[in-house]
Amino acid sequence: MFRYGIIGTLSLLLACTTTHSEKQPFELSKDSAFVMVSGTAPMHDWKMHLKTFDCNADFIMKDSEVKGIDEVTFSCKVTDLTSDDPLMDNKAYSALKSGIFPEIKFNMTSPMKLSPGNNKFSDKLNGDLYIAGKLIAVSIPLNGTLDNKNGAVMIDISGETELKMSDFDITPPSFMMGMLKTGDKVTVSFSLQYRQKTGQ
């Protein structure tokens, strides 16, 4: 009796502990979302902004802290990348083979376990990035903060990573009959805000 009582108590405590950490439904605030791709060229540096995209994330919460990120998916259309120069845009779409591979996608491959302090956290997001028909494993550094205003939980995530176009078999766009070429490296910067869904 005593032995089974201890086992039962431990099982109950374990169940309470494991259910205390759970996925919480959050949604991306698209009005404040920001994604930019920038690079270099002989004449001047260039940048392209992403107008429309989807980026879903599942956050693991415990005691009002972010303890992990369980799943992240990202997708956008190549032609939603735009700059101030229509010629640059068309060159970029051609280099990215948008006619054959119209979408850019990312899928998280391993969950993140976080140990936040003062509602701040940082880690690397590991996943597969699909561009121009090629899938590459990437590791993206990110920083995050959690804020609780009037009962509304918000999570801000930002980061920056370098990619090489040649890794995706992309030929950097060129101008003036190939005399001017953009650099092989590009920098992807992002700032995303997620708001906890109400009524859950």
Side-chain angles (χ1 to χ4, degrees):
M1 279 289 287
F2 182 68
R3 177 172 175 270
Y4 287 115
I6 292 177
I7 293 175
T9 303
L10 290 175
S11 298
L12 180 61
L13 287 172
L14 180 61
C16 290
T17 301
T18 53
T19 55
H20 202 58
S21 293
E22 57 182 14
K23 290 183 184 180
Q24 295 290 334
F26 282 78
E27 59 186 349
L28 178 67
S29 299
K30 294 190 175 182
D31 291 341
S32 59
F34 171 84
V35 176
M36 183 179 73
V37 181
S38 58
T40 60
M43 302 282 292
H44 56 79
D45 293 346
W46 57 270
K47 64 178 72 172
M48 300 184 77
H49 293 89
L50 190 54
K51 296 189 299 182
T52 305
F53 61 91
D54 290 315
C55 189
N56 300 311
D58 287 338
F59 296 94
I60 307 299
M61 304 291 294
K62 181 180 179 182
D63 299 331
S64 300
E65 285 190 334
V66 184
K67 290 297 185 180
I69 303 176
D70 190 57
E71 185 177 355
V72 176
T73 59
F74 172 91
S75 64
C76 74
K77 292 183 179 179
V78 172
T79 50
D80 281 331
L81 275 167
T82 59
S83 69
D84 295 329
D85 185 352
L87 176 60
M88 173 67 192
D89 294 348
N90 291 330
K91 291 283 187 178
Y93 302 155
S94 177
L96 291 168
K97 309 167 191 173
S98 63
I100 307 173
F101 308 108
E103 286 189 297
I104 296 173
K105 297 179 181 180
F106 173 88
N107 284 297
M108 183 182 193
T109 53
S110 58
M112 297 170 60
K113 292 183 179 180
L114 304 171
S115 299
N118 298 320
N119 285 331
K120 295 183 179 181
F121 58 89
S122 61
D123 209 320
K124 288 188 177 181
L125 177 64
N126 298 315
D128 291 328
L129 181 59
Y130 176 82
I131 302 177
K134 191 159 184 178
L135 195 69
I136 297 288
V138 296
S139 185
I140 304 171
L142 58 80
N143 297 295
T145 59
L146 182 145
D147 195 10
N148 193 332
K149 292 183 178 179
N150 301 321
V153 179
M154 304 187 72
I155 298 175
D156 290 294
I157 292 180
S158 61
E160 184 175 287
T161 190
E162 266 193 2
L163 300 172
K164 285 186 178 181
M165 287 189 264
S166 56
D167 288 342
F168 295 88
D169 295 333
I170 297 171
T171 302
S174 60
F175 301 87
M176 295 181 64
M177 304 297 289
M179 293 177 64
L180 299 177
K181 291 185 178 182
T182 59
D184 186 28
K185 289 183 180 180
V186 298
T187 300
V188 180
S189 309
F190 58 90
S191 178
L192 310 172
Q193 186 177 75
Y194 292 87
R195 181 188 298 271
Q196 188 173 23
K197 292 183 179 179
T198 57
Q200 299 291 331

